[in-house]
Amino acid sequence: GQQVMQIPQYQHVQEGEDFTTYCNSSTTLSNIQWYKQRPGGHPVFLIQLVKSGEVKKQKRLTFQFGEAKKNSSLHITATQTTDVGTYFCAGYSGNTPLVFGKGTRLSVIA
Amino acid sequence: DGGITQSPKYLFRKEGQNVTLSCEQNLNHDAMYWYRQDPGQGLRLIYYSQIVNDFQKGDIAEGYSVSREKKESFPLTVTSAQKNPTAFYLCASSLGTGAGETQYFGPGTRLLVL
């Protein structure tokens, strides 16, 4: 079945450094979504990408969808302590519900 | 105030007992989901339902059962057949299961089986 791989599993950064997490699907995706889960909380929707090569920005967060629609990335510029949490990508390919990656857990050292 | 509620927040049970986790939504969503989250394992789909009186197995359905008698409610029963039930359980809902449907998550229930 469809698989969504996400790397790295963990990332520790100093406050002010940049952070990137990568997502790769075994199949071509119709769209990809990104969610953030704060420590002790539940996943919250951040954004959806639909078009090949699409780039979207939310303040310091930049989301990209690959040209082949099989990979995606989330880049955070100048991390802050409020960015701490686990970031999940989730892909939809048409046959099943969203398939979530295992997430990247971000720690920010002040 | 619209949203998804899960109760209780923490649940303790003895090994061998069945336990039912509650999930209610007032978003008028057709689709509902149950996920299990273990450290380092991400979100694993247990069951999902696209419409009332219908549900489908996810990736790890063994040892779990669900019902969908009402649109607003999707309870999950963790049976004694589930070999390692201690985990964080998340319920979610979406308008449908098609492309572009955002999932909205409840606060979760932490189940500890002793």
Side-chain angles (χ1 to χ4, degrees), chain B residues 54-75:
Chain B
D54 184 57
F55 48 83
Q56 310 292 331
K57 291 182 179 180
D59 300 319
I60 56 165
E62 185 175 352
Y64 300 97
S65 66
V66 294
S67 62
R68 186 87 187 276
E69 297 177 0
K70 298 186 299 182
K71 188 174 186 177
E72 312 82 56
S73 179
F74 191 40

Side-chain angles (χ1 to χ4, degrees), chain B residues 2 6 14 16 34-35 72 75 112:
Chain B
Q6 290 184 246
K14 290 183 179 179
W34 273 105
Y35 294 92
E72 312 82 56
L112 179 60

Side-chain angles (χ1 to χ4, degrees), chain A residues 14-110:
Chain A
Q14 290 279 348
E15 190 173 21
E17 291 182 339
D18 292 356
F19 158 77
T20 304
T21 174
Y22 301 90
C23 188
N24 288 285
S25 170
S26 57
T27 60
T28 302
L29 300 171
S30 299
N31 63 58
I32 194 158
Q33 299 179 6
W34 286 89
Y35 292 76
K36 176 183 179 180
Q37 183 177 23
R38 294 183 185 275
H42 57 275
V44 175
F45 174 78
L46 292 176
I47 208 162
Q48 177 175 266
L49 305 171
V50 179
K51 299 177 183 176
S52 170
E54 188 170 15
V55 177
K56 286 188 176 180
K57 291 189 176 184
Q58 288 180 350
K59 297 182 180 178
R60 294 177 294 102
L61 278 60
T62 301
F63 303 84
Q64 293 189 346
F65 200 10
E67 294 289 340
K69 301 185 75 173
K70 296 183 74 173
N71 57 73
S72 180
S73 65
L74 159 58
H75 179 82
I76 301 178
T77 303
T79 54
Q80 300 175 359
T81 54
T82 54
D83 296 324
V84 165
T86 301
Y87 293 85
F88 293 97
C89 61
Y92 178 79
S93 64
N95 297 324
T96 62
L98 278 178
V99 177
F100 284 82
K102 291 188 176 182
T104 296
R105 186 173 174 179
L106 172 64
S107 299
V108 178
I109 305 165

